Amino acid sequence: RDTMPEYYDSDEVEDEDRVDAEPEPESPATPLTVPKSTSAAVTAKAIARTRRNVHIHRLYVRHEHDACLALIEEVLAEFDGLCEYPIYVKALVQRRRGRIQESLQLFQAATALNPHNVQNLKQVGRSLYLLGKHKAAVEVYEEAEKMAAEARGDDGGHEDWEIYHQKGLCYARSKQFGAAAECFMRANAVSRHEATYEQLGRVYQAQENWEAAIATYLEALESSPDSPDILATLGLLYLRLGETYRAFEYLDQALSRDPGNPRVILAAGSIIQDHDDVDVALVKYRVAAAKEPNSAQLWNNVGMCFFGKNRFVAAIACLKKALYLDPFEWIISYNLGLAHLKTQQHASAFHFLSGCVKRKPDFAAAYAFLAVALAKLDDVENAKQAYARAIRLDPGDHLTRLNAAITLFNAGDFEGAKEMFEAHDQLWGALDEDGKVDAGEDVEEQRRAL
Amino acid sequence: MAHAGKLMTQSYSHDADPSGMTPNPDAPRRPKPKTPPKWLDAWSDPMANVDATSELMDVADLAGDGEWRLVMCSARERKIKVWANARLVSEQGLPDAPVAMRCFYAQTNEGGKRKPNVAVAAGNCVFIFRGGGVSAYGTNSTLRPYYKFTLPSLPVEPRETEVWRRLGNDSLTIDDAFNELAEARDAGAPLTERTLEFLALGEEELNNDNNKNGLHVNARNKRLAAFVRSQTVAGPPTRPTSATALGVIKHVADDADAVSRLIFCTEDGQVHVLSADAKEVSATYQLPSAVAFVAVTTGSRAEGKHVIACACRDNRVYNIVDGAVDAALVFDLEAPACGLATVGGNVVVIPCADDVVHAYALRDHAVDGKEILAGQKLYSLYLPASVASVTTLDVNRQRRLERVAFATRDGYVRAYHGSKLVVTLKTDENDPCVGMRFGRFGREENALVAVAASGGVSVRIMPRRADLTGSNENNRDAPTDETSRLAATPLAVPKKTKLYVEQTAREREFGREMHVAFQKDLCRLRLNTARARVAAMRDGGGGGARGGG
């Protein structure tokens, strides 16, 4: 449209009045000197606010936060902080950096500048949610919903799934799981997203509604079949429910997508270990150990791998490292106790096993082995008590009774031993091959002794 | 490696065979291990100091002599630079910081080979340049500015215009004007910058000091009056808008120099399509939010049906199909898009800021006999690092193939065919590619021009034998390699000292005594503690936790 204005020649380009906005004059003195190309300068000044939005946005999505903030500060300094989009992005960056209170204030400033922008409200809501003020957040989201509905008008248009998703998150945090589930379902109805499915699944898990959780994740897999996170979560869920075969299927798929995920490796490795394939498990754990060397569970599992290979010193070393990383985990103490029993260090075994029962008083096997340790330490009275406790907790365990029988026998209490043995025999008869193989020799010995 | 085969034959004829195994000449040869063919480094200039992203780069045959040149805009320096044959041949300044740049072929009535125009979007204008080829004297000429296209301003609310007119005539007081404009704002009308500034100034004063009302109101009104005076000099308020992205529609044929139309997108969510002769706007669409990236499908359809995909700042991708914004074809994203690319005329690929790439179908089409509906999500790629730039690889070989490539921050450029990784290219880990463009360069086809974060430019040529079908099993991704490397490192099992082993032996011998001694001491400790507690209670007179401070 325009013919070429003069300032096109390269010489004059540098001199052309830059589109810096002049600051407002403080005193009502002379009006601004008007530059020669009036309309262009005014236009330029008018868009000066939004001119750099593009660059700000690009820097932000490329995660170049420092450069982004620098540019934002420049723009804000020019305009006394009265530009909506730079403030918005600044708040987003601050939130990423963890300064949530500051980001909340900035979002509120952006809302003040432009009260009709749904995005601002949504972000205010999210900041409130992150600060833990769930009720306030829900209120803000409902307002945002209303505003979005208004903006859409009567023709429907495209609903905003994020509002429902975020509302669901707030409800979930404040433990209103029913409302949360509803919100997530609505969000999914608008537009399916992995994140929503994951949250919905988590809600169901919190409600211990395992079927619904599994169904949710399976549905999620339909829309995003490659997501390593969903595959991993599904695998772990199956594992928790005891369906190891299916769990392993999913965990394997997750690993093929994302071979370095320590959580998944741990889960897959534990399944492999259960099937006695210790070396394969060890190889898998190597990767996890490199990625996350300070995981107590990992070292526990590694220790048990060595245990399975009868390398008890190495096992103890790993287990002690695990214990150092997480002293309150009863499984590690239990394993350490077992390992020490195997190396005939009964005093240490006692120490660890008693620690274990302190933390988990209802685990029968711990008492049983505690009793064994005590028996080896010649403390028959306490051993008997420990056995009694173990039997009370788990009356179906034949091994405990066998050990009890042996101990009583060694202590000279033949009557008690005989009782125990008979009880053991009954249970023994009801067993199938596996158990018999384990305790085969001892049974023979006992039978002979009696 | 091409030399591996030669080495094998050499050792084969070598007499002194250290391994003692002479390969049997009659045995079938083992197939050579397939390593992916390497990309040729055509040239690179690490000191080019170009601040350009994919939106600011393009290759075009500027002079029409078959030698394609690279045109880039450096945002920081506000310059547009042209490279030919590994040399910077021209450089000139731009009136404003460039936002996007594209080369396109306008339909002109000039005879002879068509030459492209270079469009640069900056501020609220799109500047169109021409030339940049070889002039009559055989020297490289600079780009000549040809045209300046100002983006159409947005309509202004009539109430606002009225208020400002009356302010200009002094027929309205500052307070009244302020109230009216505030009303307009609360009613949700989009206001001009001028009004927003006015309102913000007025409110700032109000909010600052509620106590000293009288004094401050006067000062505030004076300030506002000064502002009004400065503004009304310029005339009625306007609402100009600034450009955010440029795109090109090739709607008749697929050739690289086909007639194409320019699209530009604005801060207010408008998408303007220029007419074929690049002189006026032929269509405008309105989207709810500012457009960040735009991409157009390049399927050649006789009817000219193409889809304009726009990634907007509200984390959505809108699509304009057949001349209207398709309300059903909107893709919601969980994280903002950091690029946009179309592949194969039917698929849009969206890398997002959370390291995931989603691909959606834009049209109903069939793949391998399976029907795919428009709007269906095709696949998601989970990348190991965040995406720095994306580009479509429009590979020209016996057949035209299209692939998508992502440059990620871990220093790799990965190209995908669908969801299969096809090519991996390693660049510098600390210097990811922030801008990429694929096309012809010089006289070479299939060149990838990359701009690194440090400003260096490099051109690499795709090898002829590069397998783009994704069937090569050796094409494993870097993280997989890393994992297998990690798997090879043995576990760092903590070591036990000899002292420890001796202690364990001791324990085995004296276990009983150790246990008894330990229990005795433990009981004694408990007893002493209880005694001390009782004493403390008695003496302290009920003070439980005193002395803790």
Side-chain angles (χ1 to χ4, degrees):
Chain A
R1 303 261 180 79
D2 292 319
T3 49
M4 227 112 52
E6 294 81 357
Y7 52 71
Y8 254 66
D9 293 337
S10 356
D11 302 333
E12 280 194 35
V13 165
E14 310 305 327
D15 300 341
E16 196 254 330
D17 31 280
R18 294 264 324 263
V19 287
D20 280 338
E22 286 94 1
E24 295 308 315
E26 284 307 318
S27 61
T30 55
L32 291 172
T33 45
V34 174
K36 57 177 175 174
S37 350
T38 314
S39 57
V42 167
T43 314
K45 182 175 161 180
I47 60 158
R49 281 222 169 101
T50 56
R51 201 166 47 91
R52 275 167 281 187
N53 284 359
V54 181
H55 298 286
I56 295 177
H57 173 80
R58 285 198 193 146
L59 287 170
Y60 172 66
V61 293
R62 295 214 165 95
H63 297 281
E64 289 175 28
H65 296 304
D66 294 323
C68 189
L69 273 185
L71 186 55
I72 293 179
E73 292 303 332
E74 242 181 78
V75 178
L76 287 181
E78 271 183 52
F79 293 101
D80 276 340
L82 295 175
C83 322
E84 187 202 337
Y85 191 68
I87 295 186
Y88 181 83
V89 177
K90 181 171 173 188
L92 283 174
V93 174
Q94 297 291 39
R95 193 163 65 195
R96 262 186 192 254
R97 292 183 170 181
R99 308 223 198 99
I100 306 183
Q101 189 62 39
E102 214 178 301
S103 94
L104 178 64
Q105 284 166 354
L106 287 168
F107 280 127
Q108 282 167 335
T111 317
L113 280 175
N114 185 354
H116 294 277
N117 192 345
V118 184
Q119 300 288 328
N120 289 339
L121 267 188
K122 279 192 341 195
Q123 297 297 343
V124 169
R126 187 160 168 86
S127 291
L128 284 170
Y129 158 75
L130 286 172
L131 284 171
K133 305 198 178 119
H134 305 299
K135 271 187 79 178
V138 170
E139 276 169 25
V140 171
Y141 277 122
E142 302 207 322
E143 211 182 303
E145 217 180 301
K146 261 187 282 171
M147 193 186 288
E150 264 174 37
R152 271 202 305 279
D154 294 318
D155 60 348
H158 198 84
E159 283 195 349
D160 198 343
W161 72 279
E162 215 184 334
I163 297 186
Y164 296 122
H165 178 92
Q166 301 285 6
K167 244 178 43 172
L169 279 178
C170 298
Y171 281 130
R173 272 301 171 87
S174 46
K175 310 268 193 243
Q176 293 169 270
F177 293 122
E182 208 188 293
C183 284
F184 287 129
M185 306 264 255
R186 271 187 90 177
N188 265 339
V190 173
S191 154
R192 302 161 116 200
H193 280 272
E194 212 183 291
T196 319
Y197 278 117
E198 220 166 302
Q199 293 298 329
L200 188 53
R202 243 186 253 181
V203 164
Y204 283 134
Q205 281 191 50
Q207 291 178 314
E208 307 218 343
N209 187 349
W210 310 114
E211 273 78 38
I214 292 191
T216 314
Y217 286 124
L218 285 173
E219 206 185 311
L221 274 185
E222 281 170 36
S223 67
S224 8
D226 291 326
S227 159
D229 284 330
I230 297 213
L231 289 167
T233 322
L234 194 52
L236 289 171
L237 194 54
Y238 272 123
L239 192 59
R240 182 188 283 214
L241 294 179
E243 297 190 40
T244 46
Y245 191 62
R246 263 199 243 172
F248 192 65
E249 227 179 271
Y250 286 112
L251 288 172
D252 212 18
Q253 275 189 47
L255 268 185
S256 70
R257 305 274 191 295
D258 179 14
N261 188 342
R263 211 168 45 123
V264 177
I265 293 183
L266 210 56
S270 71
I271 300 183
I272 298 177
Q273 257 183 288
D274 281 340
H275 291 228
D276 288 333
D277 204 351
V278 174
D279 292 310
V280 173
L282 267 179
V283 171
K284 285 216 186 317
Y285 285 140
R286 281 182 187 176
V287 181
K291 289 272 172 99
E292 207 180 292
N294 290 331
S295 160
Q297 291 91 353
L298 175 67
W299 286 110
N300 180 48
N301 284 12
V302 171
M304 295 322 285
C305 283
F306 286 124
F307 191 94
K309 292 169 77 162
N310 287 339
R311 286 177 51 182
F312 296 116
V313 178
I316 291 181
C318 294
L319 286 170
K320 283 219 169 135
K321 181 160 179 176
L323 193 68
Y324 161 78
L325 288 168
D326 188 359
F328 289 119
E329 183 64 54
W330 61 272
I331 297 185
I332 307 180
S333 300
Y334 175 69
N335 287 336
L336 264 172
L338 282 185
H340 281 115
L341 271 181
K342 284 275 184 176
T343 58
Q344 321 227 339
Q345 293 170 260
H346 304 294
S348 310
F350 168 79
H351 175 69
F352 289 116
L353 284 167
S354 60
C356 170
V357 301
K358 275 249 167 38
R359 270 161 231 140
K360 192 163 170 72
D362 53 1
F363 189 45
Y367 285 107
F369 289 113
L370 187 61
V372 171
L374 283 167
K376 298 275 177 147
L377 289 169
D378 285 343
D379 186 357
V380 185
E381 277 311 310
N382 285 324
K384 274 201 260 189
Q385 277 191 4
Y387 276 126
R389 192 84 186 271
I391 291 177
R392 211 165 8 141
L393 283 173
D394 185 9
D397 189 5
H398 70 283
L399 202 57
T400 317
R401 288 186 207 266
L402 181 60
N403 283 333
I406 297 178
T407 313
L408 290 172
F409 182 76
N410 287 337
D413 180 4
F414 296 115
E415 300 306 319
K418 199 156 169 207
E419 254 177 61
M420 277 293 168
F421 187 67
E422 270 156 26
H424 158 78
D425 214 12
Q426 274 178 353
L427 292 169
W428 177 252
L431 259 192
D432 51 11
E433 336 77 53
D434 291 327
K436 288 197 182 165
V437 167
D438 279 346
E441 313 161 359
D442 300 337
V443 177
E444 294 314 309
E445 181 201 326
Q446 190 68 343
R447 288 184 191 268
R448 260 184 283 122
L450 282 179
Chain B
M1 282 150 225
H3 300 291
K6 263 203 206 137
L7 274 171
M8 271 171 32
T9 46
Q10 274 179 354
S11 67
Y12 171 50
S13 57
H14 196 56
D15 287 333
D17 202 330
S19 63
M21 288 189 323
T22 325
N24 188 349
D26 297 327
R29 297 257 181 99
R30 264 179 301 129
K32 294 179 217 162
K34 282 204 175 101
T35 52
K38 296 183 95 171
W39 288 52
L40 266 177
D41 283 322
W43 67 273
S44 70
D45 185 358
M47 305 303 289
N49 199 19
V50 172
D51 172 27
T53 54
S54 297
E55 295 83 36
L56 292 169
M57 298 165 62
D58 213 348
V59 285
D61 188 7
L62 291 178
D65 58 359
E67 183 135 346
W68 285 58
R69 290 172 165 74
L70 170 67
V71 188
M72 290 206 277
C73 292
S74 183
R76 228 187 350 240
E77 303 167 358
R78 296 168 158 201
K79 290 203 175 135
I80 182 167
K81 306 187 184 186
V82 180
W83 275 267
N85 271 339
R87 266 189 324 120
L88 177 69
V89 295
S90 82
E91 182 176 324
Q92 56 199 94
L94 292 167
D96 202 347
V99 160
M101 187 208 70
R102 272 287 176 275
C103 298
F104 72 104
Y105 287 83
Q107 187 167 53
T108 56
N109 294 327
E110 299 169 20
K113 193 138 192 269
R114 266 202 296 272
K115 289 199 207 161
N117 297 340
V118 177
V120 179
N124 69 328
C125 308
V126 176
F127 303 102
I128 302 186
F129 295 86
R130 267 193 154 192
V134 179
S135 71
Y137 300 102
T139 54
N140 280 307
S141 63
T142 59
L143 289 169
R144 285 180 293 115
Y146 179 58
Y147 210 66
K148 172 183 153 185
F149 195 91
T150 314
L151 295 178
S153 296
L154 299 165
V156 184
E157 173 96 355
R159 213 174 0 169
E160 230 185 302
T161 332
E162 187 57 30
V163 167
W164 282 98
R165 192 180 61 81
R166 287 165 66 191
L167 273 177
N169 295 341
D170 282 331
S171 55
L172 191 63
T173 61
I174 299 277
D175 279 326
D176 285 339
F178 184 81
N179 291 335
E180 270 221 45
L181 291 174
E183 243 181 69
R185 181 195 54 198
D186 291 334
L191 301 171
T192 60
E193 286 288 323
R194 196 193 284 187
T195 312
L196 286 175
E197 219 174 313
F198 180 75
L199 286 172
L201 262 185
E203 278 184 357
E204 204 177 305
E205 297 294 335
L206 267 182
N207 289 339
N208 275 344
D209 267 300
N210 287 327
N211 303 335
K212 316 174 193 156
N213 262 337
L215 190 61
H216 256 266
V217 166
N218 276 343
R220 160 189 172 238
N221 284 357
K222 276 198 198 145
R223 261 181 260 258
L224 288 177
F227 178 70
V228 167
R229 245 193 306 257
S230 69
Q231 292 295 317
T232 47
V233 165
T238 54
R239 212 152 60 99
T241 177
S242 52
T244 52
L246 276 185
V248 164
I249 310 179
K250 295 189 176 115
H251 69 115
V252 174
D254 253 345
D255 305 332
D257 60 350
V259 166
S260 44
R261 295 200 285 181
L262 196 62
I263 323 173
F264 38 90
C265 316
T266 67
E267 184 75 27
D268 292 275
Q270 290 168 318
V271 177
H272 299 284
V273 180
L274 274 192
S275 60
D277 55 4
K279 295 246 164 53
E280 56 178 8
V281 173
S282 71
T284 305
Y285 309 100
Q286 178 72 47
L287 295 174
S289 144
V291 178
F293 302 102
V294 70
V296 189
T297 57
T298 55
S300 58
R301 303 269 185 268
E303 324 91 62
K305 273 189 186 177
H306 43 260
V307 181
I308 306 176
C310 310
C312 294
R313 288 205 202 132
D314 58 350
N315 297 357
R316 290 204 180 132
V317 176
Y318 297 94
N319 295 294
I320 302 174
V321 184
D322 280 347
V325 181
D326 193 338
L329 210 56
V330 177
F331 308 125
D332 280 321
L333 304 170
E334 293 168 36
C338 46
L340 198 62
T342 51
V343 184
N346 290 319
V347 177
V348 66
V349 177
I350 314 168
C352 298
D354 56 357
D355 306 352
V356 186
V357 176
H358 299 290
Y360 289 89
L362 288 176
R363 272 197 277 251
D364 300 338
H365 62 281
V367 169
D368 297 333
K370 231 180 8 163
E371 276 299 315
I372 298 191
L373 299 172
Q376 194 178 334
K377 181 152 142 188
L378 294 172
Y379 55 86
S380 297
L381 300 168
Y382 294 86
L383 297 175
S386 46
V387 175
S389 59
V390 64
T391 186
T392 313
L393 306 184
D394 199 0
V395 184
N396 263 318
R397 286 200 192 155
Q398 291 94 348
R399 289 181 308 147
R400 283 193 64 181
L401 301 169
E402 276 200 358
R403 304 280 179 266
V404 182
F406 305 98
T408 48
R409 290 206 169 264
D410 57 358
Y412 281 89
V413 174
R414 296 181 173 87
Y416 287 86
H417 172 45
S419 53
K420 283 191 279 200
L421 178 65
V422 169
V423 176
T424 313
L425 187 62
K426 186 160 186 1
T427 58
D428 199 343
E429 209 168 80
N430 301 322
D431 207 10
C433 299
V434 294
M436 291 198 295
R437 179 74 48 213
F438 191 85
R440 300 178 63 168
F441 182 73
R443 291 183 191 273
E444 279 290 333
E445 304 216 0
N446 307 336
L448 179 72
V449 183
V451 171
S454 61
V457 182
S458 63
V459 176
R460 291 183 177 81
I461 303 185
M462 183 190 270
R464 284 183 210 285
R465 293 188 298 125
D467 181 10
L468 294 176
T469 57
S471 56
N472 191 352
E473 282 308 316
N474 282 346
N475 234 339
R476 286 182 317 174
D477 201 356
T480 326
D481 285 335
E482 191 199 329
T483 315
S484 27
R485 183 177 52 86
L486 285 175
T489 56
L491 279 171
V493 176
K495 297 258 184 277
K496 286 299 183 193
T497 58
K498 191 148 178 296
L499 180 63
Y500 173 79
V501 176
E502 285 172 12
Q503 289 294 328
T504 58
R506 174 175 166 262
E507 188 187 337
R508 248 171 263 147
E509 248 189 86
F510 298 111
R512 206 161 304 146
E513 288 85 354
M514 287 167 77
H515 178 71
V516 166
F518 179 75
Q519 292 293 343
K520 230 193 264 182
D521 285 336
L522 189 60
C523 289
R524 201 172 292 153
L525 181 68
R526 285 187 181 142
L527 182 62
N528 286 335
T529 317
R531 282 198 187 131
R533 174 96 168 94
V534 166
M537 282 203 309
R538 211 171 342 119
D539 295 339
R546 238 200 308 144

